[in-house]
């Protein structure tokens, strides 16, 4: 599976963005998917994931503001980000995740998409 994230940009605090992740391969519908982010000088972290059945989980820092969804027919996963804060500034990536541990499954992360939130 190859993954390509897009939709990032510059937005003011309080604004919204919608990220999209396009996946290749025929097994997309069988995979749990996650959105990760990496801020400058920090480790990559999982912010949201969605199971193949559609159940979702979020990091506490984004709960109530971000919504992850998927469209299996299009092999896409989305991240709707509302009420953005400067601390949400990061490069955002998507990856498949292990169903039990939510560890990323693929070593190749792609370029990600940069989200910059100005105060």
């Amino acid at each position: 599976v190859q993954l390509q994230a897009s939709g990032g940009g510059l937005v003011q605090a309080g604004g919204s963005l919608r990220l999209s992740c396009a996946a290749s391969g025929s097994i997309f519908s069988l995979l749990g998917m996650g959105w990760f982010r990496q801020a400058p000088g920090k480790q990559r972290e999982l912010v949201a994931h969605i199971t193949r059945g559609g159940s979702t989980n979020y990091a506490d820092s984004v709960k109530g503001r971000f919504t992850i969804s998927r469209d299996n027919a299009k092999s896409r996963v989305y991240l709707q980000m509302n009420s953005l804060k400067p601390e949400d500034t990061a490069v955002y990536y998507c990856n498949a995740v292990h169903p039990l541990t939510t560890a990323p499954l693929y070593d190749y992360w792609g370029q990600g998409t940069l989200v910059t939130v100005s105060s």
Side-chain angles (χ1 to χ4, degrees), residues 14-94:
S16 298
L17 282 173
R18 188 191 192 210
L19 306 184
S20 177
C21 173
S24 65
S26 59
I27 63 170
F28 175 82
S29 64
L30 302 178
L31 298 172
M33 297 296 299
W35 280 99
F36 297 77
R37 69 184 181 188
Q38 187 166 20
K42 295 187 177 181
Q43 289 189 333
R44 188 175 288 148
E45 62 172 344
L46 176 66
V47 297
H49 81 273
I50 184 166
T51 68
R52 64 180 187 176
S55 297
T56 59
N57 279 284
Y58 301 91
D60 287 343
S61 58
V62 307
K63 200 171 293 183
R65 300 187 297 121
F66 290 10
T67 302
I68 188 171
S69 61
R70 65 189 299 158
D71 185 335
N72 288 338
K74 296 182 178 179
S75 295
R76 286 184 177 264
V77 61
Y78 304 98
L79 187 68
Q80 178 66 44
M81 306 186 296
N82 299 328
S83 302
L84 282 162
K85 304 176 180 180
E87 51 263 44
D88 295 318
T89 295
V91 179
Y92 284 72
Y93 304 86
C94 57

Side-chain angles (χ1 to χ4, degrees), residues 7-10 17 89-92 111-116:
L10 173 64
L17 282 173
T89 295
V91 179
Y92 284 72
Q111 292 183 335
T113 187
L114 176 62
V115 172
T116 304

